[in-house]
Amino acid sequence: MGLSVASGREAAAMWARDLTVSAPGKVILHGEHAVVLGKVALAVALDLRTFLRLRPSAEGRVSVSLPGVGFRRSWDTPDLQALRGRIAADFDESKSPSVEQLDALREFAGIAAGASAPESLATLAFLYMCLAISAKYGDVPSMDILVCSELPMGAGLGSSAAYAVCLAAALLMVCGAISCPLQEGEPTARWTEEELTLINSWAFRGEQVIHGNPSGVDNAVGTWGGALRYQAGKITPLKRVPTLRILLTNTKVPRSTKVLVAGVKEKILKFPSIMNPVLDSIGAISQECQNVLEAMPENPSPEHYPVLEDLAWNMSASAGPHIHLSQSALRAGAGADKGGDGGGGCSGTTAAALNRPARAR
């Protein structure tokens, strides 16, 4: 891509060619739902990514295209600057988006209150992050943004977080808040730990626009990759993780993280004496899973695949397709987890049985 490493505002000045940013999706091995309530979750990055291409433009406009959902929007940069001036008082990576800010963005973009279509949420997230980052670090230049993804939307694989991470990295770079880490001749490069922390902070704000009350684990995996332990905002890379084969099965059942999490919280309020022990058990299973993973050899054999269910069934968060897939996995000698919060989306199967095609089918 031909860009040199630059720091501060030099990055924006030197940005003159196409640049592609990418972030991985994720699957939560254990701790789904409970992580939003402060319990431990273990998550791993997938070899499926979202790609954001930045292209400079001389038209005085900022455009965003998501061909996967048939979506393209563009705005004149003076209009964005005027909008920012009206609502920028509380923009900061340490503060959540306010209701007033989001209402102003909906009105500006012509999005109805309560609209949950992917293109509507993608628009709101972009506008918020664009205005918030430029308010703190300087104007966003004229540019075209194209976003493509290998991740299915609404499947529990972190597609919205990967989008938010890519947006945060791209916008922070063109505004000069972080460097452009590519050096001449390098095909890929990675930001410093300090810059990744800033990217993650802004990506979390984008996730809040989309989901309302996300745990932060999805954007953390999208930012750092690898395998992580996540609890109440504290991110700890696992010491060593074996090579695991994970079969993802898309149930094609639509699901909403926001709705599912709200349902779990409602059950906790109604039945605290029942649900709180379930949450404690989920946290304990996540911890045990971490111990097992870190004790496994690099290339585990079949006997190293214990079935460690995360008890999402007990929370009535699993849909019929997930139960069927989990039971099929168990009959094949596999372990299963519900990557889509158990209410739809993708189911993940980790097993040595995947090495035996006849049984995996």
Side-chain angles (χ1 to χ4, degrees), residues 83-92 95 98 101 128 131-132 135:
L83 177 63
R84 184 185 68 200
R86 295 198 299 271
I87 63 174
D90 295 322
F91 279 141
D92 191 82
K95 297 179 180 179
S98 70
Q101 288 170 340
Y128 178 82
L131 298 184

Side-chain angles (χ1 to χ4, degrees), residues 28 95 102 126 254:
I28 295 181
K95 297 179 180 179
L102 296 182
F126 170 77

Side-chain angles (χ1 to χ4, degrees), residues 32-360:
E32 196 90 62
H33 289 306
V35 65
V36 181
L37 301 165
K39 302 299 181 181
V40 175
L42 302 181
V44 294
L46 297 172
D47 192 21
L48 297 171
R49 305 181 72 85
T50 290
F51 299 87
L52 184 153
R53 188 200 68 194
L54 275 171
R55 175 171 289 172
S57 170
E59 299 179 357
R61 293 179 67 81
V62 173
S63 69
V64 182
S65 298
L66 288 84
V69 293
F71 162 73
R72 177 180 171 84
R73 295 289 300 267
S74 63
W75 302 272
D76 291 329
T77 51
D79 292 341
L80 292 175
Q81 292 165 2
L83 177 63
R84 184 185 68 200
R86 295 198 299 271
I87 63 174
D90 295 322
F91 279 141
D92 191 82
E93 74 271 19
S94 65
K95 297 179 180 179
S96 301
S98 70
V99 173
E100 294 76 18
Q101 288 170 340
L102 296 182
D103 285 345
L105 296 181
R106 288 190 187 93
E107 181 180 358
F108 175 78
I111 297 173
S116 59
E119 58 268 26
S120 298
L121 297 177
T123 300
L124 284 177
F126 170 77
L127 286 174
Y128 178 82
M129 295 173 70
C130 178
L131 298 184
I133 289 173
S134 64
K136 186 165 185 178
Y137 301 107
D139 288 339
V140 170
S142 300
M143 60 184 174
D144 294 324
I145 292 177
L146 174 67
V147 181
C148 299
S149 186
E150 300 169 336
L151 296 160
M153 290 183 297
L157 299 182
S159 60
S160 65
Y163 170 69
V165 169
C166 287
L167 275 182
L171 292 170
L172 287 166
M173 189 188 64
V174 299
C175 287
I178 61 175
S179 69
C180 176
L182 276 175
Q183 296 192 32
E184 190 71 37
E186 287 186 343
T188 60
R190 186 175 174 89
W191 281 276
T192 67
E193 190 66 21
E194 181 180 359
E195 290 172 327
L196 289 174
T197 299
L198 183 61
I199 291 169
N200 184 59
S201 296
W202 281 110
F204 179 65
R205 300 307 170 197
E207 277 278 86
Q208 286 185 310
V209 173
I210 295 171
H211 292 302
N213 184 34
S215 67
V217 65
D218 289 19
N219 50 276
V221 175
T223 300
W224 279 280
L228 302 176
R229 170 195 168 103
Y230 187 94
Q231 184 176 23
K234 183 178 180 181
I235 303 162
T236 307
L238 298 192
K239 295 176 182 177
R240 55 181 294 283
V241 178
T243 301
L244 296 176
R245 293 176 60 122
I246 300 177
L247 173 66
L248 296 175
T249 306
N250 195 343
T251 67
K252 300 295 182 72
V253 175
R255 30 74 67 210
S256 165
T257 298
K258 182 185 292 186
V259 171
L260 288 166
V261 170
V264 170
K265 287 185 175 179
E266 182 180 357
K267 289 182 176 67
I268 292 170
L269 290 174
K270 285 184 177 180
F271 311 108
S273 63
I274 297 173
M275 300 305 297
N276 286 327
V278 172
L279 291 172
D280 291 339
S281 295
I282 291 174
I285 286 177
S286 296
Q287 182 59 61
E288 181 62 20
C289 180
Q290 177 180 347
N291 296 339
V292 170
L293 287 172
E294 293 183 337
M296 278 185 180
E298 184 174 348
N299 295 296
S301 58
E303 62 267 21
H304 288 101
Y305 284 86
V307 179
L308 292 174
E309 283 298 339
D310 64 8
L311 298 184
W313 295 352
N314 292 0
M315 302 172 79
S316 298
S318 286
H322 283 285
I323 296 173
H324 174 73
L325 286 166
S326 293
Q327 290 173 341
S328 298
L330 291 173
R331 287 195 296 270
D337 190 61
K338 285 76 61 190
D341 298 321
C346 283
S347 179
T349 304
T350 57
L354 297 180
N355 292 316
R356 302 192 292 278
R359 297 191 70 182

